[in-house]
Amino acid sequence: MIYSTLLSALVAVVLVTGSSAVAASAAPAAATETWQTDKVLVSDDFDRVDQQGWGSAAQGGAYALSGASSFSVSAKRGVMRLPAPSTSRMANLSSVSVVDATMTTSFSVPSLPSAGGGVRVALYERQAADKAYRAAATIAPSGEVSIVMGRIDGGSGAVAGLITTPTRVSAAKGVSLTMEFRATGQNPVTLSSRIWVTGQTKSNWQSVVADSSAQRITAAGVPGVWAYTSATSPSATVSFEKMLVQTLVSSTTSPTTPTTPTEPTTPTEPTTPTQPTTPTEPTTPTPPTTPSSGTGQVNGAGAPSVGSTAYAVPAEALFVAPGGSDQNMGTKDRPVRTVGKAIALSTSGKTIVLRAGTYHETIVVPESKSLTIQNYPNEAVWLDGTSPVSNFVRSGSTWVASGWTTTFDHSPTYTRGAADSTQPGWSFINPAHPMAAHPDQVWVDDKALAQVASKAQVVAGTFFVDERADQLIVGTNPSGASVVASTLVRAMTLQSPNTTVQGIGIRRFAPSIPDMGAVRLDNTATGSTIRDVSITEMATTGLSVAAKNAKITSVTASNNGFLGVHSVYADGLAVSKMLIENNNTEEFNHAPAAGGIKITRARNVSVDSSVVRANRGNGVWFDESVYNASVTNSTVTGNGHHGISAELSEKIVVANNYVADNVDAGIKLFSSGGAQIVNNTVVRNWMNVYIVQDKRRNSNVKDAGHDPRQVLPDPTVPWYVENIGVINNVIGDAKVSTGCILCVQDSTKTRTGAQMKLTIKGNLFQRAAATGSTKGLIMWPAGSSGTVNYTSLDAFVSATRQGDPGVDYVGAVDKNGVSPTAILAQAAAEAATVPAAIVVKTGLKTGTVGANHQ
């Protein structure tokens, strides 16, 4: 990266006075308004303590520093010391690489330079090897501050200053300034900068220039911050209070900018360890059945039918209607046409009301505006990512629409532009479904067509996008039919705290894997709510949540290509009454991420009163150092891998759930501890309850799966099977050849079940027969001997001295896996006391076994 000597060649800075700088900036600013902030890549408020270095940003990874001893963090400030004249220091976010982006920092100098050329603070973008763009603010001894933008050209160290309109800001001792710098486009590359006193109104762009030279920088690069004290000024200190990097998308084109997402780029480990000889892994999983389209609720979970909700309409609401005009002011009688215009007209706290119809746009709620967006009472509103296609001409057995210029990124991993892994168990793409990562989508009369890789492969029910010829080719006759295809990447991004979206449907957008989701709650959207919303038929992921204390209530995520819900760093996430069904329609491999809902690197999260069914992958998956999570009062059925899985996590509650007919484990704890599995009915899964330890330990901080926000190794999440209770569950109706009903394994062969501190009490175990293929009851770790399969509770208790695990029932059950009344009564009489905290979560009563609902 680029360090100390380069800024010494900075061109002279001109200081101006009066209002002329603002006037000069007005026209350039208007020319760049098509760029909108998209995703937060870096966010740091320096809320930590580090005596030498800056450690890692809250989001964005570790800082790479020049002269680490000159850096420290305390009192919510990242301090950078410049120990002598003509000295510089730099901090780069080396794990982030981005093209179109805006970078913001807030900083102050404890004292103004007493003489000389002053102190300079610069933001760097598109920085790679010995090239970069930057905006440098100079603080003069008088307190005047001005910015000049430049391009660093190669190994000579020369700085090509670009003609700018400088600005003037007063920087008194200790006054915090906020500077923003953005780089956009390819030819030309447009640079924009501004600086203002922190806490005051953000100014317009004060300088906007275009670089059309042959030396312009078009590739992705690393963002960084730099400071320098001139040869004629004394040593100095700069204190940084905020660091923010966001991707930018043009409102006139699809966002395909390469970025480095917050989601970890390397899967943690293949999710199934080496199995003992019994139970036998099913070689041909039964695919989940395809449920209904997701409009309407199931067992009280999911979004109401679109158009059935009625919320109060405030007197000062802004109105949007498909027949409105963006020249209007947004009244009920004169609505605007687009949601984006209504947001622009709104102030924080306003409600935007959408009249019936379909809206085709990408919505961004900026960080400065906390809004409510809702449907007009009892009117159906859809955000739709498709456009109609009608110019088909028959060509042999296919139909061709020319002039099709919509293209999407099709990166198969969370790192844009990276190839898929070739390591077994770590790759996203199933070779049987090679087009899964391509977000293109086409429907003929509401029937989705499948994408194929070449024109020669097009047959009825399929389509091909010929990007070279700008053609969309379908194999289903479009004559007289309604044909639509996805043309927008993202539906909605919430960046503001305490924003609510409710009562609408969102469908058919085309995010790629690294776009994270069609609907996104970024980490700045703290406390926001999604309620009564249907999110369906997205190319990859439906909903992505990175905001703390978000609430997802009565939402349907269905028929999405990769994941129903993705979540990372979303501490305090509360999911309730959600319907998550039939996701991973593109048939990605279930590892590392596909299926229903995956929550990673979070604390204090919950899934309650939800239905998670028929997803091609895990139903509910906690992974990568999730701490204090629960799944309660829910139905988890027919998923193509595990029903409920906790991996590398700690303090997990799984209580009062009906978990049935999942292809692999019903409930799986994988290198996770401190768990309570209480009063669940777990039946007809391959292994109903599976607890397994593998070789991973959090003491190896280089292993993937840590939460980088914590001090590592994090003592609260040891990745260790220990202190687990399996209490008052109905576990049974095992599938043929499973080999065990409760299956516990230490694949490292170092501990017994007793050493793992497992408690098994008050359960009802059921098998069709005590002999033959269903005779296995409990598989138990025996240290270096591996595992032992016990075929009766008496044998288990005698050998392990585990006390009374419950009732062993051999016989028939009803279609829901429920045993006869007399057997249930016997098990209830032996039921253990349920912890008070779980009673509060579930309403379970003393003396019950299994779930109290289905």
Side-chain angles (χ1 to χ4, degrees):
M1 300 304 171
I2 305 159
Y3 288 107
S4 60
T5 61
L6 299 182
L7 201 62
S8 60
L10 182 68
V11 295
V13 177
V14 181
L15 301 179
V16 299
T17 60
S19 61
S20 60
V22 174
S25 70
T32 59
E33 287 178 354
T34 57
W35 290 93
Q36 298 178 341
T37 55
D38 183 37
K39 178 189 168 188
V40 175
L41 296 184
V42 176
S43 179
D44 196 7
D45 60 2
F46 296 96
D47 188 10
R48 56 188 178 277
V49 176
D50 197 325
Q51 298 302 317
Q52 182 168 323
W54 276 4
S56 294
Q59 178 180 344
Y63 288 95
L65 308 173
S66 63
S69 62
S70 295
F71 293 80
S72 62
V73 182
S74 63
K76 287 195 157 186
R77 291 174 182 267
V79 177
M80 182 188 291
R81 297 177 184 85
L82 307 172
S86 191
T87 300
S88 70
R89 293 291 185 266
M90 191 162 196
N92 286 321
L93 280 305
S94 297
S95 61
V96 175
S97 183
V98 63
V99 178
D100 296 320
T102 185
M103 186 174 184
T104 306
T105 188
S106 296
F107 68 94
S108 62
V109 290
S111 61
L112 295 174
S114 59
V119 175
R120 293 168 186 157
V121 177
L123 297 179
Y124 280 60
E125 295 200 39
R126 301 192 185 183
Q127 180 185 185
D130 51 7
K131 294 186 177 183
Y133 286 118
R134 66 151 173 246
T138 297
I139 305 170
S142 65
E144 291 177 324
V145 182
S146 58
I147 296 181
V148 65
M149 291 181 287
R151 182 187 67 246
I152 296 172
D153 282 330
S156 67
V159 178
L162 302 176
I163 301 302
T164 66
T165 304
T167 186
R168 177 183 177 182
V169 178
S170 176
K173 175 182 176 181
V175 170
S176 176
L177 302 176
T178 299
M179 177 166 58
E180 184 175 3
F181 175 47
R182 74 180 185 183
T184 57
Q186 296 287 297
N187 190 11
V189 177
T190 301
L191 307 179
S192 310
S193 64
R194 53 188 164 194
I195 191 167
W196 66 98
V197 175
T198 304
Q200 294 184 3
T201 303
K202 181 190 297 189
S203 68
N204 292 329
W205 293 109
Q206 295 155 339
S207 299
V208 179
V209 296
D211 184 6
S212 301
S213 69
Q215 292 77 34
R216 69 186 182 277
I217 305 168
T218 58
V222 170
V225 62
W226 179 94
Y228 168 82
T229 183
S230 74
T232 54
S233 293
S235 61
T237 296
V238 183
S239 295
F240 294 86
E241 301 104 40
K242 175 183 178 181
M243 206 73 68
L244 180 69
V245 179
Q246 295 173 279
T247 59
L248 295 169
V249 294
S250 172
S251 61
T252 60
T253 59
S254 298
T256 57
T257 303
T259 63
T260 298
T262 57
E263 181 73 18
T265 59
T266 305
T268 58
E269 183 89 3
T271 56
T272 304
T274 303
Q275 302 291 343
T277 55
T278 56
T280 303
E281 178 81 30
T283 56
T284 308
T286 303
T289 58
T290 301
S292 61
S293 62
T295 54
Q297 295 180 320
V298 175
N299 294 341
S305 297
V306 175
S308 66
T309 55
Y311 311 102
V313 177
E316 299 301 317
L318 285 162
F319 290 83
V320 189
S325 168
D326 280 352
Q327 304 306 309
N328 292 338
M329 294 305 296
T331 62
K332 185 175 182 180
D333 294 333
R334 300 192 65 192
V336 295
R337 184 179 63 83
T338 64
V339 183
K341 181 63 175 180
I343 292 171
L345 292 173
S346 295
T347 56
S348 191
K350 289 288 188 181
T351 295
I352 295 173
V353 178
L354 310 184
R355 301 305 303 261
T358 300
Y359 297 82
H360 181 73
E361 58 182 299
T362 295
I363 298 166
V364 177
V365 181
E367 189 174 350
S368 59
K369 297 182 180 182
S370 297
L371 305 174
T372 295
I373 300 174
Q374 65 188 44
N375 69 314
Y376 190 83
N378 300 308
E379 290 190 357
V381 171
W382 284 96
L383 300 185
D384 194 310
T386 64
S387 298
V389 188
S390 58
N391 60 325
F392 286 100
V393 175
R394 184 161 189 164
S395 176
S397 61
T398 66
W399 288 262
V400 179
S402 297
W404 184 256
T405 58
T406 299
T407 59
F408 298 108
D409 172 71
H410 52 82
S411 303
T413 77
Y414 282 117
T415 300
R416 200 181 299 277
D420 200 7
S421 172
T422 58
Q423 185 174 345
W426 293 53
S427 59
F428 286 70
I429 301 299
N430 181 341
H433 302 277
M435 300 300 290
H438 290 252
D440 310 88
Q441 300 183 111
V442 178
W443 290 263
V444 177
D445 282 342
D446 278 335
K447 184 176 181 180
L449 305 187
Q451 189 171 8
V452 294
S454 69
K455 183 176 181 179
Q457 294 175 303
V458 176
V459 295
T462 68
F463 74 96
F464 171 64
V465 177
D466 189 335
E467 294 184 4
R468 290 187 177 182
D470 291 340
Q471 292 180 335
L472 175 63
I473 304 167
V474 301
T476 296
N477 188 348
S479 302
S482 168
V483 182
V484 296
S486 294
T487 53
L488 293 179
V489 170
R490 184 169 297 113
M492 179 178 292
T493 301
L494 304 188
Q495 298 174 341
S496 58
N498 303 314
T499 285
T500 297
V501 177
Q502 57 189 7
I504 65 175
I506 308 175
R507 65 190 177 196
R508 298 179 175 178
F509 288 79
S512 65
I513 296 293
D515 288 313
M516 298 301 178
V519 179
R520 273 198 354 217
L521 277 65
D522 283 355
N523 66 344
T524 51
T526 303
S528 290
T529 297
I530 306 291
R531 179 190 298 118
D532 300 340
V533 172
S534 180
I535 301 171
T536 186
E537 295 183 299
M538 307 305 180
T540 55
T541 300
L543 172 65
S544 178
V545 183
K548 294 182 179 179
N549 300 320
K551 294 179 176 60
I552 312 299
T553 303
S554 297
V555 168
T556 293
S558 65
N559 304 299
N560 298 298
F562 177 55
L563 258 176
V565 183
H566 156 274
S567 176
V568 63
Y569 301 131
D571 295 350
L573 173 65
V575 174
S576 63
K577 298 182 180 179
M578 192 168 186
L579 174 61
I580 305 171
E581 66 172 358
N582 198 40
N583 295 291
N584 192 20
T585 58
E586 291 293 329
E587 307 261 13
F588 287 85
N589 290 328
H590 58 71
I597 176 171
K598 185 173 185 184
I599 298 172
T600 62
R601 299 183 179 187
R603 302 172 84 84
N604 308 317
V605 298
S606 62
V607 177
D608 182 67
S609 301
S610 295
V611 173
V612 185
R613 65 180 189 176
N615 300 285
R616 293 169 173 84
N618 291 321
V620 181
W621 190 358
F622 302 121
D623 191 15
E624 297 197 321
S625 299
V626 174
Y627 176 80
N628 192 26
S630 63
V631 184
T632 53
N633 310 314
S634 295
T635 299
V636 183
T637 57
N639 296 289
H641 197 41
H642 307 308
I644 300 170
S645 179
E647 183 173 356
L648 302 179
S649 296
E650 187 77 9
K651 198 177 178 183
I652 308 297
V653 171
V654 182
N656 196 33
N657 302 291
Y658 180 72
V659 185
D661 302 307
N662 298 288
V663 169
D664 288 288
I667 299 171
K668 181 178 182 180
L669 300 179
F670 191 9
S671 295
S672 299
Q676 296 291 311
I677 301 174
V678 179
N679 278 86
N680 302 282
T681 296
V682 193
V683 293
R684 296 189 306 276
N685 307 282
W686 166 54
M687 285 190 291
N688 286 307
V689 176
Y690 184 24
I691 302 170
V692 59
Q693 176 72 60
D694 72 356
K695 65 182 179 181
R696 290 174 290 177
R697 299 290 186 274
N698 81 337
S699 56
N700 186 352
V701 297
K702 294 183 179 180
D703 277 356
H706 296 278
D707 184 341
R709 303 172 303 167
Q710 311 303 321
V711 177
L712 301 180
D714 180 3
T716 66
V717 188
W719 302 359
Y720 208 52
V721 171
E722 195 167 77
N723 298 319
I724 292 173
V726 181
I727 300 170
N728 298 355
N729 302 281
V730 172
I731 310 174
D733 201 8
K735 292 185 177 180
V736 172
S737 299
T738 294
C740 53
I741 292 173
L742 170 61
C743 312
V744 185
Q745 177 190 2
D746 180 0
S747 61
T748 67
K749 297 183 179 181
T750 58
R751 290 185 295 161
T752 66
Q755 290 170 327
M756 288 179 166
K757 300 178 184 178
L758 306 180
T759 301
I760 316 297
K761 289 184 179 179
N763 302 284
L764 171 57
F765 299 93
Q766 183 274 331
R767 293 165 292 167
T771 59
S773 61
T774 62
K775 68 179 181 179
L777 183 65
I778 297 177
M779 182 175 77
W780 198 248
S784 60
S785 299
T787 58
V788 178
N789 280 10
Y790 296 98
T791 59
S792 72
L793 287 187
D794 288 343
F796 172 73
V797 171
S798 176
T800 65
R801 301 184 182 278
Q802 285 293 302
D804 185 3
V807 173
D808 183 0
Y809 167 61
V810 179
V813 295
D814 69 14
K815 64 179 181 179
N816 293 316
V818 177
S819 301
T821 302
I823 300 300
L824 288 171
Q826 180 185 350
E830 298 186 24
T833 301
V834 177
I838 295 178
V839 172
V840 171
K841 283 179 174 286
T842 61
L844 288 166
K845 296 179 180 179
T846 302
T848 60
V849 293
N852 63 10
H853 72 98
Q854 292 180 17

